[in-house]
């Protein structure tokens, strides 16, 4: 498996890096949907796959906005569910680019629900971190602009991206030492 910043089709060496960055707020996107009875699982709560799809969709919109074009999901680094969603909830996913590599974008997504057909205060129900890579019309990775945090909260999220990347490298190195068998 190649790292997300390693081109798999064409080298990017001849391509000029994008010098001007964008703020995190530039990429901020929101998507909402209603949870219907037909969306319930066998336990009566909303299906987790609905939330996963909403997360991927809003993360793609954020990545596409940041890179001015198409981007593809490379990894769902983590997805944490804090509370169930129920029929009648209006679920909103908010995403923004929190870090960038040469071709990759780290997207943070926060999911909240307004209970009972949109009334009351929103409740945080999930959080996710995804990695997208900007691609050209042929599907080859292309350079992205850097992202610049502006607030203390954005600086913290930007730092968290660096920590997740470092942990990912350490995990890959440790798993390489174990020599896990290839799944069939």
């Amino acid at each position: 498996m190649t790292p997300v910043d390693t081109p798999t089709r064409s080298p990017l060496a001849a391509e000029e890096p994008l010098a001007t960055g964008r703020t995190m707020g530039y990429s901020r996107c929101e998507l909402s949907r209603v949870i219907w009875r037909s969306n319930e699982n066998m336990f009566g709560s909303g299906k987790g796959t609905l939330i996963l799809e909403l997360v991927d969709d809003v993360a793609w919109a954020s990545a596409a906005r940041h890179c001015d074009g198409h981007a593809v999901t490379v990894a769902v680094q983590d997805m944490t569910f804090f509370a169930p969603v129920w029929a009648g909830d209006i679920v909103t996913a908010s995403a923004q680019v929190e870090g960038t590599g040469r071709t990759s974008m780290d997207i943070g997504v926060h999911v909240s629900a307004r209970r009972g057909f949109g009334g009351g205060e929103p409740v945080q129900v999930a959080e996710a971190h995804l990695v997208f890579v900007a691609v050209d019309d042929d599907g080859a990775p292309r350079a992205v602009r850097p992202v610049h945090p502006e607030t203390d909260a954005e600086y913290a999220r930007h730092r968290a991206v660096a920590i997740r990347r470092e942990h990912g490298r350490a995990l890959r190195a440790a798993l390489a030492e174990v020599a896990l068998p290839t799944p069939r």
Side-chain angles (χ1 to χ4, degrees):
M1 177 172 257
T2 61
V4 295
D5 287 327
T6 302
T8 55
R9 292 194 182 177
S10 62
L12 296 173
E15 192 174 317
E16 288 294 317
L18 300 173
T20 58
R22 293 205 163 125
T23 64
M24 283 187 185
Y26 182 86
S27 67
R28 200 166 292 130
C29 292
E30 277 191 0
L31 288 177
S32 297
R33 69 162 295 151
V34 176
I35 304 299
W36 301 102
R37 291 238 181 257
S38 61
N39 302 137
E40 292 177 342
N41 60 28
M42 67 179 143
F43 302 108
S45 60
K47 295 176 184 173
T49 54
L50 294 172
I51 305 303
L52 287 166
E53 182 179 15
L54 183 64
V55 162
D56 191 47
D57 288 348
V58 75
W60 175 84
S62 180
R65 180 178 284 177
H66 181 81
C67 74
D68 294 321
H70 190 49
V72 294
T73 310
V74 172
V76 178
Q77 290 182 315
D78 61 78
M79 177 80 199
T80 305
F81 293 93
F82 302 115
V85 295
W86 305 101
D89 287 355
I90 297 175
V91 178
T92 301
S94 303
Q96 68 182 11
V97 174
E98 296 179 340
T100 54
R102 186 165 178 196
T103 63
S104 65
M105 296 162 283
D106 291 76
I107 316 291
V109 182
H110 299 274
V111 184
S112 62
R114 288 190 178 269
R115 304 295 190 191
F117 300 97
E121 291 297 313
V123 175
Q124 185 178 10
V125 295
E127 180 179 81
H129 298 96
L130 298 86
V131 177
F132 278 72
V133 167
V135 294
D136 62 19
D137 291 339
D138 296 321
R142 61 183 177 83
V144 297
R145 303 171 186 279
V147 67
H148 302 295
E150 295 182 299
T151 68
D152 289 343
E154 288 177 349
Y155 276 100
R157 286 180 169 73
H158 194 260
R159 177 69 183 121
V161 167
I163 292 168
R164 277 193 298 279
R165 285 183 177 206
E166 183 58 37
H167 282 199
R169 282 190 286 274
L171 177 62
R172 284 188 297 278
L175 291 176
E177 290 177 14
V178 176
L180 293 172
T182 305
R184 294 180 199 205

